[in-house]
Amino acid sequence: MKIILVILAYFVGGIVDAVCGGGGLITLPVLFAIGVPAHIAVGTNQTSVFPGIITSVVKFHRSGKIDVRNALYAVPFGLVGGFAGARLNMLIPESYLQILLLVLIPLLTVFSILKPDVGAENKSGEVSRRRMFVLSAVIGFVVGTYHAFYGPASGTFYMLAFAAFLKYDLVTANGNTRFVTMFVSFVSSITYAFSKCVNWLYVLVAVPSYVIGNYVGASLAITKGARFVRPMYYCILTLLFIKLVKDFFF
């Protein structure tokens, strides 16, 4: 039964993650529920998702939905942000960030509703090269820091930032997100593997499901476009808000 739950969770999580990020909000709770200790659950999850992320990156790239040159700007700053977030996690309580997110998520939702044109079309060509580099670096660092400090739905935040600040359509913004998180996921996977914080049995059953889920999710995002992606990220923001309320108040 545990194996079946992992297979189903990673298939659904792979679809969601490839569409708009946030698949960890589905996969991690299942690992916790079947009794995997927290630090091993996180390591197992990070190691399991890496091959799936590569699958979706290839799919997005073949469809012309990744701006590799501009996405590359965010990669090194995302890795630096990951180090900074890990250090911050050791210095200050998570509750501070949870309070900030409890305010930020409703604001993001309202902004997305009032600005339905954000992410509807790819207008990244209007952004100057210098502005593109600076904003990509800031997005990489800020979201990378969040990813290491707290984590859930970091891919969703990458996607929203690429769409809102760099004027990408939601599908290309998500393709860029998958490209950036591929590098972060690789570093995380290696780190957890060498730290022996991985349940390899669950990885072996999760990887094929997550790969298939990512392929299906990327295909859906590419063919159906922003009208399909937008409702999905509303769902992810809602799930994250519920998780924050649960973690902070209960």
Side-chain angles (χ1 to χ4, degrees):
M1 182 59 69
K2 290 180 179 180
I3 296 296
I4 292 172
L5 285 173
V6 170
I7 290 172
L8 291 174
Y10 275 86
F11 175 69
V12 176
I15 294 174
V16 172
D17 212 38
V19 171
C20 62
L25 290 170
I26 296 170
T27 57
L28 272 174
V30 169
L31 292 178
F32 294 149
I34 63 177
V36 181
H39 61 291
I40 295 179
V42 174
T44 300
N45 187 66
Q46 287 287 344
T47 307
S48 299
V49 303
F50 178 60
I53 293 174
I54 294 176
T55 301
S56 60
V57 166
V58 171
K59 182 69 175 176
F60 278 111
H61 182 62
R62 286 179 175 174
S63 301
K65 295 299 182 180
I66 299 180
D67 188 341
V68 174
R69 182 170 61 177
N70 292 334
L72 270 173
Y73 293 151
V75 171
F77 294 95
L79 295 175
V80 172
F83 176 77
R87 295 296 297 173
L88 280 174
N89 188 271
M90 300 175 191
L91 298 175
I92 61 177
E94 284 186 357
S95 57
Y96 291 167
L97 181 59
Q98 289 172 334
I99 293 170
L100 176 62
L101 287 173
L102 284 170
V103 176
L104 181 61
I105 290 173
L107 291 176
L108 285 174
T109 304
V110 171
F111 171 79
S112 299
I113 293 172
L114 295 178
K115 294 283 188 178
D117 56 322
V118 172
E121 298 179 46
N122 189 350
K123 298 180 180 179
S124 59
E126 299 175 1
V127 182
S128 68
R129 179 61 52 195
R130 181 178 180 181
R131 182 178 175 84
M132 183 68 72
F133 172 78
V134 172
L135 289 179
S136 294
V138 171
I139 291 169
F141 180 77
V142 172
V143 183
T145 300
Y146 166 79
H147 177 83
F149 184 88
Y150 190 65
S154 55
T156 306
F157 289 132
Y158 266 126
M159 184 185 72
L160 291 175
F162 278 126
F165 297 112
L166 300 181
K167 298 185 178 182
Y168 286 104
D169 64 278
L170 286 177
V171 179
T172 306
N174 193 31
N176 289 353
T177 296
R178 305 304 289 165
F179 183 78
V180 175
T181 55
M182 176 176 66
F183 291 91
V184 178
S185 180
F186 173 73
V187 173
S188 298
S189 298
I190 295 297
T191 302
Y192 281 112
F194 278 106
S195 300
K196 297 182 179 180
C197 291
V198 177
N199 184 316
W200 290 105
L201 173 61
Y202 290 143
V203 170
L204 288 174
V205 298
V207 165
S209 295
Y210 200 76
V211 166
I212 296 170
N214 262 254
Y215 184 85
V216 172
S219 300
L220 287 171
I222 291 165
T223 56
K224 296 184 179 296
R227 291 183 180 180
F228 179 74
V229 175
R230 193 178 300 276
M232 289 286 283
Y233 83 69
Y234 285 141
C235 292
I236 290 300
L237 289 178
T238 302
L239 283 175
L240 178 56
F241 189 77
I242 292 171
K243 173 179 169 49
L244 287 164
V245 171
K246 176 180 173 294
D247 290 347
F248 190 74
F249 293 105
F250 298 101

